[in-house]
Amino acid sequence: MSPFLDAMTRVPPLLAAHLLLAAAALALGLTISLPLAIWSARRPGVARVALGFASLVQTIPSLALLALFYPLLLFVSGLAGGGIPALGFLPSLLALTLYALLPILRNGVTGMAGIDPAVIEAADGMGMTAWQKLRLVEAPLVAPVLMAGVRTAAVWTIGAATLSTTVGQPSLGDLIFAGLQTQNWALVLAGCVSAAGLALAVDALLGLIERGIATRRRGRVYGAGAVLLLAVLAALAPLAVPRAPTIVIGSKNFSEQYILARVIGHRLERAGYRVEYREGLGSAVIYGALSSGAIDVYVDYAGTLWTNAMRRRDTPARPAMVAAIGNWSARTSGVRLLGALGFENAYAFAMRGDAARAKGIVSLDDLVRAAPGLTLGSDLEFLERPEWAAVQRAYPIRFAATHAYSPTFMYRALESGQADVISAFSSDGRIAAEHLTVLTDPRRAIPGYDAILLLAPKRAKDARLAAALTPLVGRIPVAAMREANYLVDRDRNKVSPEGAARWLERRLGL
Amino acid sequence: MADSHSTGPSVAFAAVTKRYSGGAVAVDDVSLEIAGGAFVALVGSSGSGKSTLLKMINRLIVPSAGVVRIDGADVADGPAYALRRRIGYVFQNIGLFPHMTVGENVAIGLRLAGERDTAARVAALLDLVDLPQAFAARMPDALSGGQRQRVGVARALATAPGLLLLDEPFGALDPVTRDQLGNAVRALHDRLGLTTIMVTHDMAEGLILADRVLVMDAGRIVADATPQALLAGQGGAVADALVAVPSEQARRLRALEEGA
């Protein structure tokens, strides 16, 4: 089977989730914006506030809007005594609903304002009540303009729903994000084609309804409406079937995480569990997803939790750090640290080997001297992370410029000379394969980054689950992990994370 | 249908004033009685307050002070929509519902009253305003201006109201159509026994169609007389100035005729 067709086999469940999310957001958006549009049409003051708010929302990048709902819902959940999910469907729904408001509201208000005043005077003069006027005159006259707004909202919502992947809601974005990270273009293409196809199909159906209303053809309106309804019902159907208990495995958005998620998944499947993957979660939200139970298991890195969630600045020895994190997570959220996998994926500064030799740079101390003439390429979050702050405290490094890239493109930038130094990961297969020099950290500014296996609070006491996963503890050496990562990250003969996971399992006899 | 009315209701204004928040006074303390079955023209220049006075009858405008009564009952009692369903209303911009057929437009008052089987009534109403019955299936934008206003009149008369309010009803029509439609409305008034109040800035129209002409200026009634009395110069200065225009035109036309 071609890689594209292979990727397309992953589409149906994601397409269903995508459609449900977008449809729910659009329905909620309509429920809010229709009364608001009517109210706005009657009172200019309300129109100013409502349209101003909706326009403001539109200026927030959709990715940021989704991310903002995570802390907001955590806060609200805290006020309400817990129970409100901060990840997954709810934040995605709310963010997309806000996005859908503007086009519906604006077209509704514009449409109402565009009705000939003589028609309104006639409606009043004939003795229509406010409700009759709305139902018999205003609604039918606004409907074509309003439907144009609904179409815009639908296309925007379906497009932006791909981003809900980052807050743990399955969508066609899962394919796009995973494909981008692993340079699996077939996967990216499958996600894009499906999302675009969905948007076009929904737009065409809504367009039929719009023209049906304008030309007074009821059959078209009901026909297209029925197709949309059937599509939503078909997407809902799998939810109606009772399912076996499922373990949800989380992963962040890079190859190693995808591979380890599959390794965990394979073990659990062999142990008789049904598994589901939530891939591409942001580094900042994934621990919250675990502690709230949105995911059941994932692999994090000691230093990440140490510096971000725990806000520690000291750098103890690696085993002590892992033990301290286990205590902290059990105490604060009930998350169980099952153990370290055996390798470290530390933040490391890397240079092209020839360049490092030519400049005589082997350590971060050497880098201090050379940095003013060099450009730093970092991943998207490194410059905001406490590790970078810690490095800057320990070493007075000032680069000529810094650029942020997604990890794949960061290596490209180093290779092409656009960046001289990058924030690499020590388990990255490309370090060895591309003959990079990893700079030493003589002042121990960067903490240890042991890969650690974490279980959600509700799974903490699940002995069967622990038994299925414990064999992974201490079993994965960094050399094996690097090779597996490189299978996915290299430019030629790429292997899917699934394939790399199988390879790793065979290699380690798991 | 409407023939069952013996005569339309009377309309009375008692010290009616309409003052806008900016301080402008559109209608200034008007008291007036209009007998049932009368055809009254309200004539005045733009801004004289004649449309405002008319719209206070069906509560499209609410007076700042004073009472409007129809057959002795205060129009402010009860909901506005109930009042308006008993009053036919035709205005210059017509306001046909563009998303409804001519037939649906004509039947809208019946529909509001909860009547279902309206096809026969619509046909009869189209006959009444001299439109072919086949027009019922057309959309308003397929009609000429004069045809549209005929539909407007049919729509206003659908529920057989006794009172017909006309606000510059023929203002946007060409002179020929205007004359035809004016005569048609006068004929309907006589045939149905309506009380008709027509606002117009055209004194000739008022003089020709109405039994009684009220001249308004700056919110007040400055003349109240029969067309004959006005033509005889008994309406005062403002009325005389308005009457002078058509009289002078008629005189010159006659002179042209005699000269030829």
Side-chain angles (χ1 to χ4, degrees), chain A residues 118-119 121-129 132 136-137 140-141 216, chain B residues 55 81 84-85 89 91 93 95 97-101 104 111-112 155:
Chain A
V119 168
E121 186 176 344
D124 286 330
M126 291 307 297
M128 289 191 192
T129 62
Q132 286 169 331
L136 299 174
V137 178
L141 290 178
R216 296 159 49 90
Chain B
K55 287 178 181 175
Y81 68 84
R84 291 170 187 158
R85 287 178 193 181
Y89 179 60
F91 59 108
N93 295 326
F97 303 121
H99 57 297
M100 296 182 187
T101 62
E104 287 168 334
R111 187 171 162 194
L112 294 178
R155 179 175 69 176

Side-chain angles (χ1 to χ4, degrees), chain A residues 72-91:
Chain A
L72 186 69
L73 285 172
L74 271 191
F75 176 72
V76 173
S77 185
L79 287 184
I84 300 173
L87 287 163
F89 189 76
L90 186 64

Side-chain angles (χ1 to χ4, degrees), chain A residues 171-211:
Chain A
S171 77
L172 291 168
D174 289 19
L175 303 176
I176 298 171
F177 279 90
L180 267 179
Q181 284 311 317
T182 60
Q183 293 202 18
N184 182 340
W185 304 125
L187 216 50
V188 175
L189 195 64
C192 290
V193 165
S194 308
L198 180 64
L200 287 175
V202 170
D203 185 54
L205 286 168
L206 291 174
L208 266 181
I209 295 180
E210 181 186 338
R211 279 190 299 283

